[in-house]
Amino acid sequence: MAMMSVAVLTGCKNKSKTANDGGDDAISVKIEQSYKEKVAQSVDFTANLEAYKQTYIVPSITARIEELKVDVGDKVKKGQILAEMDKTQYNTNALQLANAELDFARMKPVYETGGISKQEIDAAETNINVLKETVANLEENVTLRSPFDGVVTERNNEVGDLFSSMSGSGIYQVMQINPLKAYVFVSEQYFPQVYMGMPVTVKVDVYPDQEFAGKVSRIAPAIDPTSRTFEVEVTVPNASLTLRPGMYARTTFNMGEVENVTVVDVAIQRQTGTNDKYVYVVKNDGTVESRFVTTGRQVGDRVEILSGLEEGEHVVIAGSARLLDGAKVKVVAGDPE
């Protein structure tokens, strides 16, 4: 790229000499002195919005579905009953537990008078504890509840279906969509600037005029050596449920301020056929020099210059259409004719 730039500039100089051979008429231009100012380092990254939590409602037993209490789109609360399964197995074990507790109550005074051994009383007590765990587990699996506040996003069965945990999907899928989250892959150069709780602006295409306030809720401790990025989780409050999982989002991180040289945007020229940008710099001898620059952010009508231009140099902001590298110029206060 450096060799190419030299070649272009040299070619322009040769043309400028030819253009000025006929006389010393200088080209009228308007100029501006470049200066430094603080530029906010706002960086955009894309991501997809995701549910903050999501789960499938899956009983761990094989049983027939007796009742489905909610449907797709219904809002549910934590602990709310979603479905009831056949209770035959539960009732059987609950009855066994009740009988075991009665037997234990009869055995205890006999044991205390030495009528039965400690081994027998311990075995009876162990049997009761096992039955209690079984009944508690069955109770959880015949009365299915939502583990958090959310929305039902899938229903995969009907009343009367024989459900098996081997079926591969749950009776319901429930998502928590307030808040939402987005996983953003941030360039490694910004690792020192990102912190927990950092505010992040979120925009989605379906609501182009709205901005949503998010914040950094998790930062990956390592850099991906392939992509040179690190993963950042952004949490986005969604009390109005305006946003939905799966929406395409643009996230904006404010990485602070950096003082850099800026020029008015009309000073930036683009080389034909390339993405290279340059400015015309007025030298002390009254001629102009085309200077390739690397641009950064635009703030209002000014453009940040990352390299190629120093503070205090004069750049042409009007009258550049007739300029060639090395051309003589005269500075005018108003717009050049």
Side-chain angles (χ1 to χ4, degrees), residues 1 137 152 317:
M1 178 61 72
N137 179 63
V152 177
I317 62 172

Side-chain angles (χ1 to χ4, degrees), residues 176-247:
Q176 182 179 351
I177 62 174
N178 179 32
L180 292 171
K181 62 184 177 182
Y183 290 106
V184 184
F185 294 91
V186 179
S187 304
E188 68 172 331
Q189 70 192 86
Y190 300 113
F191 191 84
Q193 281 78 42
V194 178
Y195 57 90
M196 293 292 293
M198 180 179 185
V200 178
T201 302
V202 179
K203 297 191 72 173
V204 294
D205 290 348
V206 293
Y207 302 115
D209 298 327
Q210 294 187 48
E211 290 186 349
F212 302 88
K215 65 178 181 179
V216 173
S217 51
R218 185 176 300 155
I219 303 171
I223 307 295
D224 185 322
T226 302
S227 63
R228 311 312 310 178
T229 61
F230 62 100
E231 186 180 75
V232 175
E233 180 187 274
V234 176
T235 301
V236 187
N238 189 33
S240 64
L241 304 184
T242 304
L243 302 172
R244 287 292 187 271
M247 284 183 174

Side-chain angles (χ1 to χ4, degrees), residues 253-318:
F253 290 69
N254 187 344
M255 302 298 183
E257 293 182 331
V258 173
E259 192 172 63
N260 273 331
V261 173
T262 66
V263 297
V264 68
D265 53 12
V266 293
I268 307 296
Q269 309 294 316
R270 187 183 298 274
Q271 189 177 26
T272 304
T274 73
N275 288 322
D276 293 335
K277 298 174 183 177
Y278 63 95
V279 295
Y280 282 112
V281 179
V282 178
K283 299 165 65 177
N284 292 333
D285 62 1
T287 63
V288 293
E289 171 188 60
S290 59
R291 184 92 58 77
F292 286 110
V293 293
T294 302
T295 58
R297 292 159 182 78
Q298 179 151 356
V299 182
D301 64 348
R302 300 193 67 78
V303 177
E304 179 185 26
I305 304 297
L306 302 179
S307 65
L309 189 68
E310 299 295 328
E311 179 183 15
E313 293 190 286
H314 292 89
V315 296
V316 176
I317 62 172

Side-chain angles (χ1 to χ4, degrees), residues 67-121:
E67 187 177 4
L68 295 174
K69 294 182 176 292
V70 294
D71 207 343
V72 174
D74 288 349
K75 298 176 185 177
V76 295
K77 294 292 186 180
K78 180 179 180 179
Q80 179 178 336
I81 297 174
L82 306 182
E84 297 276 6
M85 309 297 289
D86 179 73
K87 293 182 173 61
T88 301
Q89 189 178 355
Y90 168 78
N91 291 336
T92 299
N93 281 270
L95 182 59
Q96 290 176 356
L97 173 60
N99 289 334
E101 289 177 331
L102 284 174
D103 289 343
F104 183 79
R106 296 188 189 102
M107 293 171 65
K108 196 170 182 181
V110 178
Y111 164 72
E112 290 172 351
T113 59
I116 59 175
S117 67
K118 188 175 187 307
Q119 183 178 3
E120 289 176 293
I121 196 73

